[in-house]
Amino acid sequence: MRLLRYLSPYRLSIFTIIVLIFLQSLSSLYLPHLMSQIVDNGVLGHDMATIVQLGAFMLVISIVGGVCSIAASYFASKVSMGFGRDLRSKVFSRVEHYTLHEISTIGTASLITRTTNDITQVQQLVNMMLRMMVMAPLTAIGGIIMAVTTDARLSLVIVGILPVLAIAIFSILGRATKLFKTMQVKIDALNCVLREGLTGVRVIRSFNHGAFENKRFDVANLDLTSTSIQVNKIMALMFPLMMLIINFSTVAIVWFGGQRVGSGQMPIGSLMAFIQYVMQILFSVMMVSMMSFMIPRASASAVRINEVLETAPEITDPLDPIEERIDEGLIEFQDVSFYYPGAEQAALQHVSFTAHTGEVTAIIGGTGSGKSTLLHMIARFYDATKGQILIDGLDIRAMKQERLRAKMGYVPQQAVLFSGSIKENIRYGKAEATEEEIRHACDVAQATEFISQMPDTFDAEISQGGTNVSGGQKQRLSIARALVRRPRIYLFDDSFSALDFKTDAALRSALKPEILQSAVLIVAQRVSTVMDADQIIVLDEGKVEGIGTHDMLLQTCKAYQEIVASQLAKGESA
Ligand code: ADP
Ligand code: MG
């Protein structure tokens, strides 16, 4: 339970809880004693004054006990909720620093369950522990002491009951523990199906796979349900069994105690108090066992949370980052090779090139040739397996990631927008961008026209996942988001693919004056997009097949000729 170290900020509250519970336990142990006094001296002695006096005293003590108990619950909830909140934010910020590899290793669905459900499990256990951990042993031990002092011989009954109780608890616990662990895995599975069903809803509909997905969900759902039912059946057995044992104990105490009362060895009030003490002892044993029920479940969750917290991101900042002196945006690849983690085939092999400031470098190649990978390397989403990448003469691994990425305007292949207004989405690129800058970026990105047709123009809301704008509109907004940054390096990953030829051409000519001070890398499929670039890199299966201008490559590069020929045939090249 290494997670418990996150409780340390709440030391003071926890101490308060312990004090409160201590007082509550004392009061609940003292009450039966007072009661026996009332019965033996007041009722049997026909002494009204004693009854009233002791009764009032009992009332005061039970009120104090009640107040302590309420206050302890309040603080326990506060501490455990705060603990949960801290843990969630720890997990979230850790995941934010993960590289793409680590995220895919644990899995998005599992990361979500771990941040929500698993943390709730641990949080509940903490709450329970805070209230029970002090209370149960205190009342159990206190109860035993009080019982023995009340009547030592009758206390032998307790010695008889406790083993029975222990056996009952352990046999139930053992069976439930395993099931709890499998339950958490099944929640993950259900989550995964649900996520895929929701994000892929269009595909599912169009392929008429609704029934299939329903079945897949049912399987996962029923699987989880049957395990939960099994667990709950076992849990349900627990309470009646405990009550049975407790009631039998009461009968036993009344039986043996009655004989002692009959023979005058024990006052009747003491017998009543004794019954209460035994109840308290058994109840606290029960509480501890209830809590131990939660422990296996919560510790399964704790392990999963720890896994997230203790997976160190592969890509970290250097200990003493170098501050670059020049800021131009010069990119150099020096014999860079890269394998995705676990992949046998290199995604990039011996790639070397230089992209100068004020120039456009285009990258063309078939799908899977490593174009996106190449851009990811520059943004340091992954580190090169061999070779190095320099920006302004500095190895990117020697820079702070934040400094590195501040230089870039990256437009991903899959345009991603966030829920919020169009303005907010564009300010993602530069938080302090003025209205003027936003408008200008949208003009260049050819987005102004469709934005002005939206009901609230720049304040129009983008729905979650950007589903209320088209693919091409999304692309243009994400281009504007990169433009507003005015970065030294532009990375366009196939960002013009969803645009028609006219918009594509208009955008590229509007772009030209914008990027005079920057190095621009454009990944594209269409020859028309790359034709007028200063240099074109032709990629095939991660290898550079040729570097040069359009005319040069037409003469010398066979791979480029093939691409051009295949597009000419479709009438796309012109
Ligand atoms: P392109 O953008 O040119 O279509 P990519 O750079 O996306 O190609 O992919 C290059 C190669 O790397 C492909 O063979 C692809 O299967 C592989 N690849 C891409 N992303 C990953 C990943 N996250 N893990 C493992 N392999 C990957
Ligand atoms: Mg790609």
Side-chain angles (χ1 to χ4, degrees), residues 100 104 340-341 343 345-348 365-374 376 382 413 493 523 525 539:
L100 304 177
S104 61
Y340 276 103
Q345 273 259 313
L348 291 176
T367 45
S369 56
K371 306 184 296 297
S372 299
T373 307
L374 197 151
H376 290 168
Y382 294 96
Q413 186 163 14
D493 192 350
V523 166
Q525 307 269 0
L539 271 186

Side-chain angles (χ1 to χ4, degrees), residues 26-48:
L26 283 189
S27 81
S28 68
L29 285 173
Y30 193 50
L31 283 175
H33 177 72
L34 280 177
M35 189 192 65
S36 74
Q37 300 262 307
I38 292 181
V39 172
D40 290 340
N41 301 335
V43 179
L44 297 181
H46 301 288
D47 181 357
M48 198 58 195

Side-chain angles (χ1 to χ4, degrees), residues 234-249:
I234 296 173
M235 286 284 273
L237 198 65
M238 181 101 168
F239 205 73
L241 196 65
M242 296 294 139
M243 286 318 288
L244 196 70
I245 293 172
I246 288 174
N247 287 333
F248 267 116
S249 327

Side-chain angles (χ1 to χ4, degrees), residues 477-490:
L477 287 176
S478 70
I479 291 171
R481 178 175 62 199
L483 283 172
V484 83
R485 263 184 114 109
R486 304 205 139 272
R488 283 300 184 181
I489 297 168
Y490 282 100

